[in-house]
Structure formats: C-alpha cells, structure tokens
Amino acid sequence: GGYMYLIADVMVRPDCQRLGVGKAMLVRINEWLEMVGKDGLCVMVNLMATKGNEGFYEKLGYTKTEEYHMDEFCPHVTMRKAF
C-alpha cells in the first residue's frame, strides 16, 4: 500500500523570498513524508511548480515531468518525488 500527496499553491511573500523560508517549509514537509514512508509504505508526491522555478525543487530531490498546465493564467510544471 501507499499514499499519494499533492503540493500546490505554496508561495512565500515577495519580501520574505531569498531568506530560506520556502526551503525550510519544503525540508520540513519532506521530513514528514519520509516519516510516513518509513514502515515500507510507498509515498509519492506530485508538486505543482511555477514554470521557471523547477531548479529550486530539483535541489530538494523533485524531478520535473513533461506535464505542463496553466493555473490561474500562469504556466506550471508537475514535479515528482518518491519517499
């Protein structure tokens, strides 16, 4: 068995960007997801990233897919990570 999670529409206020806030949030989420999967459960995460920000998520272990879509008139790409 396992779980699938979706992370979407997570943003950091412009005046708080580049201070490590976004990274800290994702690191904590990743730690929790690792805990969920520690008993052998499959944990898969889809993350909806604003196009152009893929590198931020790739540094945290997420892989870009070829799935692009428009959300609120803004292009997004689906990224994935298994735990």
Side-chain angles (χ1 to χ4, degrees), residues 1-48:
Y3 297 98
M4 178 167 266
Y5 293 92
L6 172 66
I7 300 173
D9 297 328
V10 177
M11 297 171 234
V12 174
R13 290 183 356 196
D15 60 319
C16 294
Q17 292 176 356
R18 309 250 186 266
L19 299 175
V21 175
K23 181 179 179 182
M25 285 192 301
L26 268 251
V27 165
R28 181 64 189 109
I29 290 168
N30 284 349
E31 288 171 351
W32 183 81
L33 291 164
E34 287 173 5
M35 185 186 70
V36 170
K38 71 179 172 136
D39 292 326
L41 292 173
C42 177
V43 176
M44 177 63 71
V45 178
N46 283 345
L47 183 144
M48 302 304 148

